[in-house]
Amino acid sequence: MSPSPSASAGESAGLPPRSVPMLCQGGLVLRTVLFVHGVLVLGLGLRGGEPVDLLGELSVLVVAVLPATLVWLLAGCALRPRLARLAPMPAAVLMGLIGLLCALGAWAELRWLEQVEPGALTALSAALSGAALAVAVWQVLCLRERLNLPAGTQARLAELQSRIRPHFLFNALNSAITLVQIDPVRAEAVLEDLSELFRAALASADAPVTLGQEIELAQRYLAIEQVRFGTRLRVRWQLDAQAAAARVPALMLQPLVENAVKHGIEPSTEGGEIVIRTGVRHGMALLTVTNPLGEGRPRRGHGMALRNVRERLLLLHDLGVRFEAGAIDGGRFRVRVAIALPD
């Protein structure tokens, strides 16, 4: 794959891309708006006055401050690739300058609405306040991003250990060896599926993939397990093509279906059915993986892999994802994920 122009520019400058906040993300937008307005309320409160008067003044200021905040967020979102190529200090200065311009715009709007008395709030004080607040917000969001990175890395490393377990590799190779004599074509298919799984497991997990790609990888994994379990493993796919565009962390689905096989099929002499469904509802891609609970005392599990998948989804989508896992009626276990679809 040829490098993008921005990547080439960054490499030539000797600055590798940094992880910077995604200001278009719904959770960050909400947090930023609440933080800015919280600072506004605090500033008004420190001035003193009657609560009714402060409330009226706040309602007027929000008319200008809210659009200015949203413009700052949109500018930061549009400039995210460039900000990732800048050192931390120049990036903070750039976001501060944008905040300065947004604050000047808010001040001009208030003057136009005749809500600011001459001399009460100068353009200079408004600009400096906007720049300072923008830099403060940007630094807080960058700190949050850096604090999230170790958790994401730890989750990916733990997930990598659970993706291709040694016993799975051993069983897959044994299945291929057995098939070489009686069904060479199927043996070749097993080895091809196994190579694709390892390619995905060893690839970089930083870039998200589509749900459609994850479905294809899970189908390869289950095709390998089908050779080992035979009729004990029954898989039903109910897929909606519209959900395939959802962005998810790499190798998000494979641990879920691996858990379904390990805890739902392997302990049972009769086997069972795994059902994987996708759909779209209210702008969200829905994914469910359902499996039997297995015979006898439930095996301990459905823990680390589920937590890792949930953490990685939250790091990618923040408030744009819902994750549920637990037993349901009929002696079955279900994992349900709802992911915001890209615009």
Side-chain angles (χ1 to χ4, degrees):
M1 180 181 296
S2 60
S4 64
S6 60
S8 300
E11 289 167 2
S12 63
L15 293 173
R18 296 184 300 114
S19 180
V20 296
M22 186 179 295
L23 298 183
C24 299
Q25 197 175 68
L28 288 186
V29 171
L30 180 60
R31 291 185 180 97
T32 302
V33 169
L34 291 176
F35 178 79
V36 171
H37 286 76
V39 172
L40 188 62
V41 170
L42 180 62
L44 291 175
L46 292 176
R47 285 175 49 187
E50 294 296 327
V52 175
D53 296 334
L54 293 177
L55 185 60
E57 190 174 356
L58 177 63
S59 63
V60 171
L61 291 176
V62 166
V63 174
V65 173
L66 180 57
T69 305
L70 295 177
V71 169
W72 183 81
L73 288 166
L74 288 174
C77 183
L79 292 173
R80 187 170 185 261
R82 183 172 296 276
L83 291 167
R85 296 287 170 182
L86 293 176
M89 184 60 70
V93 170
L94 177 57
M95 294 305 295
L97 289 175
I98 296 173
L100 183 149
L101 295 175
C102 291
L104 282 177
W107 177 83
E109 182 181 354
L110 290 173
R111 286 299 303 271
W112 181 71
L113 294 173
E114 299 182 351
Q115 297 296 331
V116 176
E117 297 179 1
L121 179 65
T122 65
L124 179 60
S125 61
L128 292 178
S129 298
L133 185 57
V135 171
V137 171
W138 176 253
Q139 295 289 51
V140 169
L141 294 179
C142 287
L143 177 61
R144 177 182 179 272
E145 189 78 11
R146 287 195 296 270
L147 291 175
N148 276 339
L149 282 178
T153 302
Q154 182 180 6
R156 285 196 291 270
L157 289 174
E159 181 62 20
L160 180 59
Q161 294 174 357
S162 65
R163 286 175 195 159
I164 307 296
R165 296 191 177 99
H167 81 271
F168 167 68
L169 172 61
F170 178 78
N171 290 331
L173 290 176
N174 266 353
S175 298
I177 292 171
T178 302
L179 288 171
V180 164
Q181 299 296 328
I182 59 176
D183 194 343
V185 175
R186 196 175 181 190
E188 182 180 357
V190 168
L191 293 176
E192 287 178 356
D193 291 337
L194 187 61
S195 68
E196 281 299 310
L197 280 170
F198 271 97
R199 180 194 62 77
L202 298 176
S204 171
D206 293 333
V209 298
T210 65
L211 182 57
Q213 291 173 300
E214 285 293 288
I215 292 290
E216 181 181 352
L217 204 63
Q219 288 172 333
R220 290 181 178 275
Y221 169 78
L222 289 172
I224 295 174
E225 293 289 54
Q226 188 76 65
V227 175
R228 181 159 68 105
F229 289 102
T231 57
R232 288 173 59 199
L233 172 59
R234 299 179 293 280
V235 182
R236 179 153 52 102
W237 299 89
Q238 297 179 345
L239 305 178
D240 186 338
Q242 293 181 335
R247 306 297 289 177
V248 297
L251 276 177
M252 178 273 296
L253 179 56
Q254 190 270 336
L256 301 182
V257 295
E258 186 172 353
N259 257 8
V261 171
K262 179 181 178 182
H263 299 283
I265 306 302
E266 192 172 350
S268 173
T269 55
E270 299 296 326
E273 182 182 56
I274 297 174
V275 181
I276 297 117
R277 294 189 179 95
T278 62
V280 174
R281 183 181 301 170
H282 305 306
M284 304 281 285
L286 306 178
L287 166 70
T288 61
V289 179
T290 310
N291 60 272
L293 284 173
E295 298 175 347
R297 184 178 179 180
R299 297 178 58 180
R300 304 189 75 177
H302 293 296
M304 178 180 291
L306 294 181
R307 285 195 299 271
N308 288 340
V309 170
R310 182 177 181 273
E311 285 180 18
R312 297 175 71 205
L313 283 167
L314 288 173
L315 285 172
L316 180 61
H317 290 286
D318 201 15
L319 297 182
V321 66
R322 294 196 300 273
F323 185 95
E324 302 173 2
I328 59 174
D329 294 340
R332 298 180 68 78
F333 188 91
R334 181 181 66 190
V335 178
R336 182 163 56 185
V337 183
I339 308 164
L341 283 168
D343 294 333

